[in-house]
Amino acid sequence: MRAVALGGGHGLQITLAALRRLAVHPTAVVTVADDGGSSGRLRRELELLPPGDLRKALAALADDGMGAAPWSEVFEHRFGGDGALAGHAVGNLLLAGLLEVIGDPVAALDQAGVLLGIDGRVLPMSTEPLDIEADVTGLDEDPAVIRRIRGQVAVATTPGRVKRVRLHNATGPNRTPTATPEAVKAVRGADVVLLGPGSWFTSVLPHLLVPELHEALVETAARKVVVLNLVPQPGETAGFSPEQHLHVLSEHAPRLRVDAVVADVDSVATPDRLRTAAASLGGTAHLRRVAAAGAPERHDPEALARALSEAFTAAGAHGRHGDSGGRGVARRAEGEED
């Protein structure tokens, strides 16, 4: 079964970790709007795609067999000290080198995947860096005043309330973002597509703001599954209920229909409201315990894998490339600053 997961950062990492426990061929489609930390520095200094979220996706899919795990560890290693390399992850520097030498981001990521022996593929949602812009209220004495802020870090950490986000091509504010053709093809050819979890306005929704990806997500015959966050994110979604995440999703993509919404049963205060919100998008809510023990803000990969397997089967995600009726999805149960 061909599974495409869209997102960025730790949220996408956890989705990919769960998919690796299932009998699927995973493809990650990754946001490229990060402007903070090591990624932001490399993006500004070298005028490249921000590599951090791409690195995390590659590490999540890396082969953990004999001889490959050390490469994955090195890829995630971050330099300390206070010199020029301080704060940079080795994988970020390696990806920056590949991007400069090869030129084509898709080919560069494929080469990184060969090095790490990844199970699947990692693609950028665009081959050019993008900027996020948001309309935010609550930054003035008058709570109704809308301010426009720009940049992923600024949006993710705003003390205001984000109302809507837009994407711009970083090379020009009037240029429409262009999707990576391979990412569009992957979504259109998938058996199942996953959105979330992750930073809702800066990692999940941006995929719906690139016109070609938006159309692919709306038109694909794949089963579509939304995985909700466990807790609201300070800044971006402070005070949001689970169903509010779905309302915002619908506001940014009114034509998008989904088949399933996976949420942690202990994180949903009003299950009936979530079921109603899921139904308004055409889907069914699947409430399961998917939080990690002792860390209610993080998903447990094994528990999430089980919940996804159930959601795929319930949605009839047998795929158009060979009808398995959802059987045999579960394969094995195995024991994150950009």
Side-chain angles (χ1 to χ4, degrees):
M1 189 166 68
R2 300 176 186 179
V4 176
L6 301 97
H10 298 302
L12 180 58
Q13 264 192 322
I14 203 71
T15 300
L16 296 174
L19 288 177
R20 289 199 66 203
R21 290 160 165 79
L22 303 176
V24 302
H25 177 78
T27 296
V29 178
V30 187
T31 53
V32 288
D34 194 3
D35 60 356
S38 168
S39 287
R41 289 164 59 191
L42 292 170
R43 170 180 170 165
R44 290 186 295 272
E45 293 171 13
L46 303 177
E47 297 183 350
L48 299 169
L49 289 180
D53 287 347
L54 298 165
R55 182 200 83 240
K56 289 176 180 174
L58 285 164
L61 293 176
D63 184 3
D64 54 7
M66 178 94 48
W71 271 115
S72 180
E73 276 183 49
V74 170
F75 214 63
E76 288 287 74
H77 175 72
R78 195 176 296 276
F79 292 105
D82 53 9
L85 292 179
H88 281 304
V90 172
N92 286 0
L93 299 176
L94 178 60
L95 286 177
L98 284 169
L99 289 167
E100 281 206 332
V101 171
I102 296 176
D104 176 6
V106 173
L109 287 164
D110 284 344
Q111 285 299 312
V114 171
L115 175 66
L116 294 169
I118 74 167
D119 177 19
R121 198 177 190 194
V122 174
L123 298 168
M125 72 176 184
S126 174
T127 57
E128 298 178 303
L130 304 176
D131 283 333
I132 293 176
E133 183 179 82
D135 293 335
V136 181
T137 59
L139 299 178
D140 293 82
E141 291 185 7
D142 182 351
V145 171
I146 296 177
R147 295 290 180 185
R148 187 167 293 178
I149 61 176
R150 188 159 181 152
Q152 179 168 315
V153 173
V155 174
T157 59
T158 180
R161 188 177 182 88
V162 179
K163 308 297 289 184
R164 177 168 287 274
V165 290
R166 292 173 292 277
L167 271 186
H168 298 288
N169 190 301
T171 60
N174 297 319
R175 287 190 58 196
T176 302
T178 302
T180 302
E182 292 85 351
V184 174
K185 182 178 179 180
V187 170
R188 289 189 178 276
D191 297 306
V192 61
V193 172
L194 298 99
L195 279 168
S199 301
W200 213 244
F201 285 103
T202 56
S203 289
V204 178
L205 294 181
H207 294 280
L208 298 166
L209 306 179
V210 180
E212 300 97 332
L213 262 183
H214 182 113
E215 290 305 306
L217 285 164
V218 169
E219 296 173 1
T220 181
R223 306 293 175 168
K224 283 161 275 192
V225 178
V226 174
V227 182
L228 291 179
N229 293 335
L230 297 169
V231 295
Q233 182 175 348
E236 280 197 38
T237 55
F240 271 39
S241 64
E243 57 269 20
Q244 280 178 291
H245 288 74
L246 297 183
H247 294 326
V248 169
L249 184 69
S250 181
E251 287 173 354
H252 284 78
R255 294 187 295 130
L256 180 69
R257 314 302 289 170
V258 306
D259 295 280
V261 176
V262 175
D264 182 71
V265 64
D266 295 324
S267 301
V268 180
T270 51
D272 287 343
R273 290 183 185 176
L274 180 61
R275 293 188 182 100
T276 300
S280 72
L281 293 173
T284 302
H286 294 262
L287 304 182
R288 302 291 185 271
R289 284 190 171 82
V290 293
E297 75 287 352
R298 288 187 179 273
H299 288 84
D300 175 75
E302 292 184 9
L304 182 59
R306 289 192 294 271
L308 290 178
S309 179
E310 292 177 15
F312 296 167
T313 303
H318 50 68
R320 289 162 290 144
H321 310 286
D323 186 352
S324 67
R327 294 181 295 275
V329 174
R331 183 177 67 188
R332 65 181 186 273
E334 304 170 347
E336 291 183 355
E337 177 176 336
D338 289 347

